[in-house]
Amino acid sequence: MLWLAAQTYLLCLVSFIAGVVITAVVLRKRRPAQAEDTSVLDAVEDEDEEDEPEPMIIKGSRKSMRYHTPDSPYYGRLKGDVIFESVAEAEKAGYSAWKTPART
């Protein structure tokens, strides 16, 4: 009877450790969300900098050889096997623009 209890305890312990490891791996891959509120120091630094537009990040899929701009409906879901800084760079690499699926 003690042997069965020891096996049950060991199985529960291994399952718990596996869950902790999987959770840690998943959380490590996520990017931390930026805080909504900014400090006064950040606001002062932002005023000093010129208003430069942020570079557009274009995600590409190696499987479909298509690139997705931020206005693509698939942009948020796509991991982005390849990342480009401009549309011209993506097209130069042989990728084509995303297309809206045809409805029948």
Side-chain angles (χ1 to χ4, degrees):
M1 187 70 167
L2 183 64
W3 176 76
L4 183 61
Q7 279 189 333
T8 305
Y9 175 77
L10 187 60
L11 180 63
C12 289
L13 181 65
V14 169
S15 298
F16 174 77
I17 292 172
V20 168
V21 169
I22 290 171
T23 303
V25 168
V26 169
L27 291 177
R28 183 179 291 180
K29 288 183 180 180
R30 291 186 182 175
R31 292 182 182 172
Q34 294 181 355
E36 298 266 336
D37 57 341
T38 57
S39 66
V40 176
L41 182 58
D42 290 339
V44 171
E45 289 177 1
D46 289 342
E47 290 176 2
D48 293 340
E49 297 176 3
E50 293 181 21
D51 291 334
E52 296 179 14
E54 292 186 22
M56 181 172 36
I57 297 175
I58 299 172
K59 298 178 183 179
S61 171
R62 287 188 182 131
K63 184 177 179 182
S64 65
M65 290 299 288
R66 297 202 185 274
Y67 64 85
H68 297 265
T69 56
D71 58 336
S72 166
Y74 307 107
Y75 188 81
R77 291 184 263 169
L78 186 68
K79 272 174 132 178
D81 299 332
V82 183
I83 296 177
F84 301 104
E85 293 182 7
S86 68
V87 172
E89 184 180 332
E91 290 176 350
K92 184 178 178 183
Y95 287 77
S96 58
W98 63 276
K99 296 180 184 176
T100 305
R103 298 188 186 242
T104 55

